[in-house]
Amino acid sequence: MNGQLREAQLERIRESVAASPRFQLVAENSAGVLYVLRAAS
């Protein structure tokens, strides 16, 4: 992807990352959310 995302596209990405066991939530505030990719096991 490149360019600006539509709101629905961004929301799908947010939901997918939040639900994925491959990502760990590090920080969250009114400016955004930070995830790290977990190491492969």
Side-chain angles (χ1 to χ4, degrees), residues 12-41:
R12 277 196 304 274
I13 292 170
R14 287 179 177 159
E15 290 172 358
S16 295
V17 170
S20 174
R22 297 188 65 200
F23 292 93
Q24 178 181 355
L25 178 64
V26 174
E28 181 176 17
N29 64 25
S30 61
V33 181
L34 175 65
Y35 289 92
V36 292
L37 182 61
R38 294 179 187 216
S41 50

